[in-house]
Amino acid sequence: MAVVAGAALALSVVPLGLHTMLGCAVLDVGCAPAEPRGRLPELTRLTPVEVALSGGYVALGDSYSSGEGVYDGAGAPAGDGAARCHRSEGSYAPQVAGAHAFGGEAGFWACSGATTGQLLRGQHGHAPQVSRVSAGTSLVTLSIGGNDAGFAPVLTECIAKLPWSSACVDQDARVRQRIDELRPRLRQVLAGIRARAPEARVIVLGYPRPFPAAPSKTVTNLSAADQRWLNGVTRLLNDAVGAVAREFEQLITAFGAPGSVEYVDAYDAFDGHEVGQPRPYLNGLVVDLGELTVNARSFHPTADGYRRFAELVNERIAAGPGRPMNNFRLATP
């Protein structure tokens, strides 16, 4: 009787919600646990495709992304201010945008001639490309670095040289220095993108080899040795870009952070379709005879080349970074 009275006294001074639990413990009557009233929310890990398509798509970069190789000044430019940036609907970016059902809008902001600095600070009076990225962006594509390395004037020097001159390969030391100087600038670009869209997948494209792996004939005043050298500096540029992209991806993985930075090595992507081949994916030397000037389309992708780039990006969207994504969706039961 005293035990029961003590139990009653104990129950009288505890909150109502604990009466049943304490009563079962004190009286040792084996009460069955109460059924939970509902399930807790669950975290679901997103697939790479789900991450990429969950928000908007933003295409950034230089002439290899803007569509310089198929740009037609007589046609309607693609997007606001595109005339000065030579943005073309024939570029890979509009093709990627049209191939997927993105959860947000697609923005095409690549600009011909862009350097890493211009991507960060603006070009032709336009807002910086990187500012187009936002928290709602889930996929960014980017090609950058060729203008930092000075590839356009390098090619000009190679083509304009005297046939027996070594002026092309004599640029080697200067080009290597510019490629080394690119690395910290590219880190700034990727840091800027990640700061604005920390959960996005960022796909960084390398550049294709412009000439056959083993050239055997002269093409537009470029000897076989010149072509091998130009292939080599393209490889060096890709290695630098790829190394910086992989550094970011390793840090993201190490900290278990969302998003990704994925490098797509396009060096062999045009294999069998280089300049001088029967069906090239790159324009050769294009001269405007009326003005006796080199057209900017020279040594940029053709329509087939941009379709190949679109394939590379779409394949990477499907494949992902080769690891589980650390992006999650909170599911309410």
Side-chain angles (χ1 to χ4, degrees):
M1 189 67 171
V3 171
V4 174
L9 179 61
L11 292 173
S12 69
V13 296
V14 298
L16 183 61
L18 297 179
H19 279 132
T20 301
M21 181 173 63
L22 287 176
C24 294
V26 173
L27 300 177
D28 193 22
V29 294
C31 301
E35 288 293 325
R37 295 187 177 183
R39 293 166 51 200
L40 293 174
E42 296 179 355
L43 285 178
T44 302
R45 188 187 296 271
L46 301 184
T47 67
V49 173
E50 288 173 331
V51 174
L53 305 188
S54 61
Y57 166 43
V58 177
L60 309 177
D62 55 19
S63 54
Y64 268 69
S65 292
S66 72
E68 180 70 80
V70 292
Y71 176 73
D72 180 7
D80 178 47
R84 298 192 69 181
C85 286
H86 288 193
R87 281 195 287 270
S88 171
E89 291 292 347
S91 175
Y92 71 83
Q95 297 179 55
V96 170
H100 304 279
F102 287 97
E105 295 183 356
F108 182 22
W109 301 105
C111 192
S112 185
T115 63
T116 50
Q118 289 169 326
L119 195 145
L120 290 168
R121 294 186 291 274
Q123 185 179 4
H124 304 311
H126 302 159
Q129 289 187 45
V130 73
S131 70
R132 309 295 185 173
V133 178
S134 70
T137 301
S138 59
L139 178 69
V140 177
T141 56
L142 171 69
S143 68
I144 199 70
N147 294 306
D148 292 76
F151 269 25
V154 164
L155 269 169
T156 301
E157 182 74 18
C158 288
I159 294 167
K161 69 176 177 56
L162 295 172
W164 58 85
S165 168
S166 62
C168 186
V169 298
D170 287 349
Q171 303 175 85
D172 189 72
R174 297 194 300 275
V175 174
R176 287 175 180 270
Q177 180 179 350
R178 289 195 290 264
I179 290 174
D180 284 341
E181 293 169 350
L182 166 67
R183 293 173 184 257
R185 297 170 185 166
L186 183 56
R187 291 188 187 102
Q188 290 179 333
V189 168
L190 293 179
I193 293 172
R194 286 281 302 172
R196 289 166 174 79
E199 299 192 3
R201 288 179 61 187
V202 181
I203 297 178
V204 183
L205 282 164
Y207 296 90
R209 188 184 65 241
F211 301 100
S216 59
K217 61 182 180 180
T218 297
V219 176
T220 60
N221 200 34
L222 298 169
S223 68
D226 294 335
Q227 294 171 57
R228 286 193 296 271
W229 179 76
L230 288 164
N231 285 346
V233 294
T234 302
R235 178 74 273 170
L236 284 175
L237 174 61
N238 281 355
D239 288 347
V241 172
V244 174
R246 284 188 287 270
E247 286 174 8
F248 267 81
E249 174 63 8
Q250 288 167 1
L251 284 172
I252 292 168
T253 304
F255 284 95
S260 64
V261 173
E262 306 166 41
Y263 176 64
V264 175
D265 190 348
Y267 184 73
D268 294 318
F270 292 2
D271 192 32
H273 298 279
E274 303 91 344
V275 174
Q277 297 290 80
R279 186 187 171 189
Y281 285 3
L282 283 168
N283 293 302
L285 180 64
V286 181
V287 178
D288 292 330
L289 296 177
E291 301 177 4
L292 292 178
T293 58
V294 175
N295 191 286
R297 291 197 303 275
S298 300
F299 299 98
H300 283 85
T302 63
D304 285 335
Y306 283 115
R307 279 191 287 271
R308 178 67 182 126
F309 268 146
E311 289 175 359
L312 292 176
V313 173
N314 288 332
E315 288 168 3
R316 179 48 65 98
I317 289 173
R323 61 167 175 83
M325 301 298 300
N326 294 313
N327 298 61
F328 296 88
R329 179 185 295 117
L330 187 64
T332 303

